[in-house]
Amino acid sequence: MNNITYKPIGVVHSPFTKPEGTPIQPAADKNTIAVIEIFPGFSEGLADLEHFSHIYILFHLHLAGKRELTVIPFLDTNAHGVFATRSPGRPNPIGLSVVQLDKIEGNKLFVKNIDILDGSPVLDIKPYVPQFDVFQTNKNGWFEEHAHKMGNIKDDGRFTK
C-alpha cells in the first residue's frame, strides 16, 4: 500500500505544552480554553461552523513517543491492545477530541474542554451531531469498571518516555 500524506489545516494553541499534566480526555477538564488557528488557505471551510456547539478535532499527536500494540491505559493497571484504548501511543498517532466551540473570530476557533497539546497540527474538523454520533451501548470493555476514575485524570507521561 502507498504512503498516505496529510497536510495540516491549522494548529492548536493550548496551555498544555507537554503531555504530563494534560487531561486524558476532554471530559476530564471542563474549564480549559484554547484557540485553534486555521491556516488562511482553509479558513473558507469554517463557514457555518459557528452554528454547532461541539466539534470533532482530528489532529496529529506530534509528541507521542512509544508506539506499542499492547499498552497500560491511564485508567487501568492491566495491559490491553492499543485499539481497545485511547492511548496516544498508536501505530498512526492520530488524535480525536470532541470540544465545545465557544466562538469563531476570523480564522480562530475558541474552544473549551480541550485535551490537545500546544502546537498539535490539526488535520480536520467536523461538526458533532448527536443524531449521528450518540449511540446507546451495552458494553464498554475494560473501561466499564474504571469509569468512576475519570474525574480529573491527567497524563502521567507514560507514552512519551
Side-chain angles (χ1 to χ4, degrees):
M1 180 174 273
N2 295 332
N3 286 335
I4 300 170
T5 304
Y6 291 100
K7 180 178 180 180
I9 63 166
V11 64
V12 174
H13 301 289
S14 86
F16 305 116
T17 58
K18 60 183 181 176
E20 295 86 356
T22 301
I24 63 166
Q25 292 292 310
D29 190 323
K30 301 289 186 200
N31 301 312
T32 301
I33 298 171
V35 175
I36 298 172
E37 177 185 358
I38 302 304
F39 299 144
F42 299 99
S43 58
E44 181 181 341
L46 297 175
D48 302 316
L49 189 63
E50 74 274 8
H51 301 292
F52 294 88
S53 68
H54 290 76
I55 55 176
Y56 283 107
I57 305 298
L58 286 95
F59 57 99
H60 177 68
L61 295 159
H62 70 295
L63 296 182
K66 297 191 290 186
R67 297 181 186 169
E68 298 175 352
L69 295 178
T70 303
V71 299
I72 298 174
F74 294 116
L75 296 173
D76 199 359
T77 57
N78 297 312
H80 300 278
V82 71
F83 303 127
T85 75
R86 299 279 185 101
S87 163
R90 314 185 73 74
N92 291 308
I94 299 170
L96 170 68
S97 291
V98 176
V99 299
Q100 181 180 334
L101 178 61
D102 274 354
K103 64 181 176 178
I104 299 175
E105 292 181 358
N107 66 331
K108 294 187 169 108
L109 287 68
F110 293 81
V111 300
K112 288 183 184 173
N113 313 119
I114 198 156
D115 64 341
I116 307 173
L117 294 175
D118 186 61
S120 293
V122 176
L123 303 175
D124 202 0
I125 297 169
K126 297 178 186 264
Y128 176 86
V129 180
Q131 293 84 345
F132 298 163
D133 301 324
V134 175
F135 297 92
Q136 292 295 322
T137 61
N138 59 6
K139 58 183 182 175
N140 286 306
W142 64 268
F143 180 74
E144 194 77 48
E145 65 184 74
H146 299 282
H148 69 281
K149 298 177 188 174
M150 191 59 191
N152 289 320
I153 298 291
K154 307 285 191 235
D155 187 319
D156 60 10
R158 72 180 70 181
F159 297 106
T160 53
K161 297 175 182 169

